[in-house]
Amino acid sequence: MLSRCFQIVTLVTLAVIHHCTCANVLMITMGGTKSHKIPFWELARGLIPRGHNITFINAFLSDFYLEGLEEITPSSYVVYVRNFTNWDLVGARIKGEEPVPFVDMIKFGYEACDVLLSDSETKDFLRSGLKFDLLVLDGAYPECAMGFVHFYGAPFIYINTVGMYMGSLSTAGNPTLYSVTPFLARPFSDTMNFIQRVQNFGFYMVANIMHSVMTRGKLQDIVRQYFGPDVPGIYDMSRNVSFILQNGHPVLTYPRPFLPNVAEIACLHCKPAKKLPEVKPA
């Protein structure tokens, strides 16, 4: 009898401990292409079996049902991204053109944020009273989501879905050596000559200035409009990122120095290779 009671108490205790260690996780990607969702999906697939509850805000309608994952896709935000990001990235590369003009990237930055935060579904979500223990943001564009960080008062990490983009890592204190780190929109390598290094530096400077103007001149006001005037500076909040999952790998990208809170996770979504079917000769 005592043994039976002990077993029941043990099971109840373990169940309580399991419940207490489960977390509510909010994932947000502001990426303009669907590929940004894939690393988040894979991370969710790893967290859900461990008992965590995942809420995922993005601009692309759900493709499948996964128990433990709730996707929030505000309708006006979905329509805006679909209409704005109808880009032919490969075709532009083949033609030697800029895949996405700088002006369009800046415009997308603040317009997408305003559309997302003004959507009624987003407002209802913020008023729902849900609490989150961790936020996972897309490091390719985390600035707008800093409003959610302030609102929930929870720690946050990045999945930097664009492995070539170093802006968020630089803001967090990670060194970016312009002499050996090619700008993501240029066909340079890590073995640039002097002229290429000067050009590379120039592209970084222009991009940093435009990003700063967009963030401080437009985005900061939009975030404060919806989350309150007491929201700290976006760059100040960005520096407090706890950990960064970098979508890169030494085999796939150029050598780069990373701080201890950066882990490369390229091919997080990759599956084991399947055996190719045998083709019988005719």
Side-chain angles (χ1 to χ4, degrees), residues 18-245:
H18 176 73
H19 177 75
C20 292
T21 55
C22 296
N24 293 324
V25 180
L26 175 61
M27 296 180 173
I28 304 174
T29 176
M30 300 285 294
T33 57
K34 195 172 182 178
S35 59
H36 287 256
K37 290 185 67 173
I38 296 175
F40 285 90
W41 275 338
E42 293 305 316
L43 184 60
R45 287 191 176 101
L47 292 174
I48 290 172
R50 292 167 171 80
H52 303 298
N53 302 307
I54 311 298
T55 304
F56 186 18
I57 298 177
N58 64 87
F60 301 91
L61 299 177
S62 178
D63 295 88
F64 54 83
Y65 171 76
L66 181 62
E67 187 174 357
L69 171 65
E70 179 185 4
E71 291 200 41
I72 296 177
T73 53
S75 56
S76 59
Y77 181 51
V78 171
V79 172
Y80 172 82
V81 171
R82 182 189 302 144
N83 292 336
F84 193 96
T85 59
N86 187 23
W87 298 321
D88 180 12
L89 301 179
V90 177
R93 282 293 190 189
I94 294 174
K95 297 174 185 176
E97 301 172 353
E98 292 293 337
V100 183
F102 270 131
V103 175
D104 283 353
M105 286 192 286
I106 298 300
K107 185 179 179 182
F108 177 82
Y110 63 83
E111 285 189 351
C113 185
D114 191 30
V115 172
L116 171 65
L117 298 181
S118 64
D119 190 278
S120 59
E121 188 173 352
T122 304
K123 292 180 178 179
D124 291 342
F125 172 72
L126 292 171
R127 289 194 293 259
S128 65
L130 293 173
K131 302 295 182 182
F132 293 97
D133 305 294
L134 176 69
L135 276 72
V136 183
L137 313 181
D138 191 339
Y141 173 34
E143 287 77 18
C144 180
M146 287 299 152
F148 292 87
V149 171
H150 173 74
F151 183 81
Y152 290 109
F156 66 98
I157 67 173
Y158 291 155
I159 296 183
N160 190 25
T161 54
V162 181
M164 298 175 290
Y165 177 65
M166 301 297 290
S168 299
L169 280 80
S170 296
T171 303
N174 203 85
T176 301
L177 308 179
Y178 299 156
S179 59
V180 294
T181 306
F183 185 67
L184 80 165
R186 294 290 91 193
F188 300 142
S189 70
D190 59 333
T191 56
M192 294 174 277
N193 59 37
F194 178 75
I195 299 299
Q196 290 173 332
R197 289 183 179 185
V198 172
Q199 293 174 337
N200 192 58
F201 172 79
F203 278 108
Y204 267 109
M205 288 298 99
V206 171
N208 290 343
I209 292 171
M210 293 181 68
H211 190 278
S212 179
V213 170
M214 184 270 291
T215 301
R216 292 188 169 97
K218 285 280 191 178
L219 206 52
Q220 186 73 63
D221 292 339
I222 293 172
V223 171
R224 285 176 174 164
Q225 175 185 346
Y226 294 101
F227 290 100
D230 60 334
V231 176
I234 288 176
Y235 285 132
D236 294 333
M237 288 191 289
S238 300
R239 295 186 183 99
N240 292 322
V241 61
S242 299
F243 202 80
I244 300 174
L245 300 173

